[in-house]
């Protein structure tokens, strides 16, 4: 075993993500043989004493055939209809397969809103922790049946990276239909598999752009590398490989691509805020406010705001921009877009005296703010 993979073999809590193309057919529908093989591997890992969280795509793909659709629909409403049908079929297959091996699964469906808003994300975290404590195997997916474009993760690779951080996983394994990250199109001669990625410099010579099987999944190599960046920057190593090599990957064998951890764990909700939200507006700051927010990590006050763009409500994410239009931070705003113009450049004391205590508060509190680098 490569010494660099010791962290893989010793990981006790592992998030495993499997893509649609690895567990469904090209026509739409569940591939029972490949799902069965995945179930066997995960059951073996559980028998070895590991805690596993499975992030599984495939709900929309599994719903295509029952709905008579030949390929993944483009419109959100039909995607949601397919997910509504397919999610039940997918969970039935997992329930049936794991039950035969003595394991119980629990379904966890998430939207971005569930884990970014302060009052919600701890509920998701507590649920996952409790399932693991009870010996249940959580099966996580995006809640495609209710998620709107504004509150969608968009791909389960990114969701898996964020779930890995949410549950304080020791390892993230991304299972796909390719063996790992290549320096070019793996279908062409002369391309090579990258066994280790230690920094952004290692990605400099990589031409990323090969998607999975057309018509089934949403992810490609781009989303997998992005997910690896999110996880490794938060201190979680990542293995990317083919689903057929899952057992070897989890044992620490030198298969696929190993992304070394590059950073340390950060506050969970802020990681979600940075990587899982779509800003609903833009708030421009003067130079003093930029220094206060970015360098001194202070809350944003109305006095430092120069103008506002977009349509947003209190509690929604907005980007904070400097005088040159560069996004320097993202946060959950405490006022509606319609309220802010009348507050700009004024002190909280002045606003509280004139308009009442409700206006004597920050535009974005420092606890709801993440710096963008």
């Amino acid at each position: 075993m490569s010494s660099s993979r010791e962290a893989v073999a010793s990981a006790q809590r592992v998030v495993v993500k499997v893509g649609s193309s690895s567990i469904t057919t090209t026509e739409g529908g569940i591939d029972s043989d490949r799902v069965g093989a995945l179930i066997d591997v995960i059951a073996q890992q559980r028998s070895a004493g590991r805690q596993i969280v499975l992030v599984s795509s495939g709900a929309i793909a599994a719903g295509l055939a029952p709905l008579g659709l030949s390929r993944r629909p483009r419109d959100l409403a039909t995607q949601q209809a397919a997910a509504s049908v397919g999610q039940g079929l997918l969970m039935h297959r997992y329930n049936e397969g794991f039950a035969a091996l003595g394991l119980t699964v629990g379904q966890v469906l998430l939207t971005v809103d569930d884990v970014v808003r302060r009052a919600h994300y701890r509920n998701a975290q507590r649920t996952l922790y409790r399932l693991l404590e009870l010996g249940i195997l959580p099966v996580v997916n995006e809640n495609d049946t209710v998620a709107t474009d504004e509150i969608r993760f968009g791909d389960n690779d990114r969701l898996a990276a964020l779930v890995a951080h949410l549950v304080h996983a020791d390892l993230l394994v991304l299972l796909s239909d390719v063996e790992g990250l290549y320096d070019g199109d793996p279908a062409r001669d002369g391309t090579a598999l990258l066994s280790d990625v230690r920094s952004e410099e290692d990605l400099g010579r990589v031409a990323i752009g090969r998607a999975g099987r057309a018509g089934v999944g949403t992810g490609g190599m781009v989303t997998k590398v992005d997910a690896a960046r999110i996880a490794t920057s938060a201190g979680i190593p990542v293995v990317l490989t083919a689903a057929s090599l899952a057992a070897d990957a989890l044992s620490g064998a030198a298969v696929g691509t190993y992304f070394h951890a590059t950073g340390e764990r950060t506050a969970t909700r802020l990681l979600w805020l940075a990587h899982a939200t779509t800003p609903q507006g833009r708030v421009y700051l003067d130079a003093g406010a930029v220094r206060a927010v970015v360098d001194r990590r202070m809350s944003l006050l109305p006095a430092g705001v120069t103008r506002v763009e977009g349509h947003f409500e209190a509690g929604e994410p907005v980007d904070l921009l400097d005088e040159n239009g560069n996004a320097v931070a993202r946060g959950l705003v405490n006022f509606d877009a319609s309220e802010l113009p009348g507050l700009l450049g004024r002190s909280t004391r002045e606003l509280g005296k004139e308009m009442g205590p409700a206006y004597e508060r920050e535009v974005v509190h420092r606890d709801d703010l993440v710096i963008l680098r």
Side-chain angles (χ1 to χ4, degrees), residues 115 121-122 125 129 161-169 229-236 261-275 297 367 369-373:
V115 285
Y121 91 100
R122 290 194 183 278
Q125 189 176 53
Y129 276 178
L162 295 164
V163 167
H165 194 271
L166 188 70
V167 301
H168 290 83
R229 285 190 176 109
I230 294 171
T232 56
S233 67
I236 303 169
T262 60
E264 299 178 352
R265 294 188 185 275
T266 56
T268 302
R269 192 169 62 89
L270 297 185
L271 192 78
W272 287 80
L273 180 60
H275 295 287
R297 305 299 172 92
D367 291 343
L369 188 151
V370 61
I371 306 302
L372 301 178
R373 302 190 183 280

Side-chain angles (χ1 to χ4, degrees), residues 12-18 35-36 38-47 49-56 87 90-91 93-109 127-141 163 167 250:
Q12 290 300 300
R13 180 173 292 175
V14 183
V15 172
V16 176
K17 184 267 176 178
V18 63
V35 172
L38 175 66
I39 288 172
D40 287 342
V41 170
I42 291 177
Q44 291 168 7
Q45 295 298 313
R46 281 290 306 270
S47 297
R50 279 178 157 173
Q51 291 183 328
I52 304 291
V53 176
L54 176 60
V55 177
S56 177
Q87 185 66 31
L90 185 63
M91 283 305 301
R93 181 65 184 89
Y94 282 134
N95 273 310
E96 186 179 62
F98 281 113
L101 299 174
L103 294 174
T104 302
V105 301
Q107 177 178 251
V108 180
L109 299 177
T127 298
L128 288 165
Y129 276 178
R130 189 59 179 146
L131 287 170
L132 292 171
E133 290 170 358
L134 293 170
I136 306 301
L137 176 73
V139 178
V140 181
N141 196 359
V163 167
V167 301
L250 286 160

Side-chain angles (χ1 to χ4, degrees), residues 188-234:
R188 297 182 178 178
D189 294 334
T191 57
L193 175 71
L194 276 68
S195 60
D196 288 86
V197 173
R198 299 177 184 274
S199 67
E200 284 293 320
E201 293 180 2
D202 293 333
L203 296 172
R205 62 188 179 90
V206 177
I208 304 170
R210 182 177 187 270
R213 275 188 290 129
V216 176
T218 59
M221 197 53 65
V222 172
T223 67
K224 289 167 180 56
V225 171
D226 285 345
R229 285 190 176 109
I230 294 171
T232 56
S233 67

Side-chain angles (χ1 to χ4, degrees), residues 80 108-117 120-121 124 140-148 150-154 159 162 272 276-277:
Q80 290 173 324
V108 180
L109 299 177
L110 297 174
T111 67
V112 169
D113 216 34
D114 293 325
V115 285
V116 173
R117 292 183 184 272
H120 296 181
Y121 91 100
V140 181
N141 196 359
E142 179 167 12
N143 195 350
D144 288 306
T145 60
V146 299
T148 63
E150 290 76 16
I151 60 168
R152 300 186 79 195
F153 296 101
L159 172 61
L162 295 164
W272 287 80
T277 55

Side-chain angles (χ1 to χ4, degrees), residues 164-184:
H165 194 271
L166 188 70
V167 301
H168 290 83
D170 304 309
L171 174 69
L172 170 62
V173 177
L174 300 174
L175 301 178
S176 180
D177 54 358
V178 292
E179 291 188 14
L181 177 64
Y182 289 79
D183 59 6

Side-chain angles (χ1 to χ4, degrees), residues 234-315:
I236 303 169
V238 178
V239 176
L240 166 62
T241 194
S244 59
L245 299 174
D248 290 337
L250 286 160
S251 72
V255 298
T257 302
Y258 181 59
F259 294 82
H260 295 252
T262 60
E264 299 178 352
R265 294 188 185 275
T266 56
T268 302
R269 192 169 62 89
L270 297 185
L271 192 78
W272 287 80
L273 180 60
H275 295 287
T277 55
T278 300
Q280 301 304 301
R282 294 163 296 282
V283 176
Y284 289 81
L285 284 56
D286 61 27
V290 171
R291 289 193 297 271
V293 167
V294 176
D295 299 332
R296 297 160 61 191
R297 305 299 172 92
M298 297 178 68
S299 299
L300 174 62
L301 301 177
V305 179
T306 58
R307 64 188 171 103
V308 177
E309 294 178 353
H311 302 281
F312 51 83
E313 298 178 355

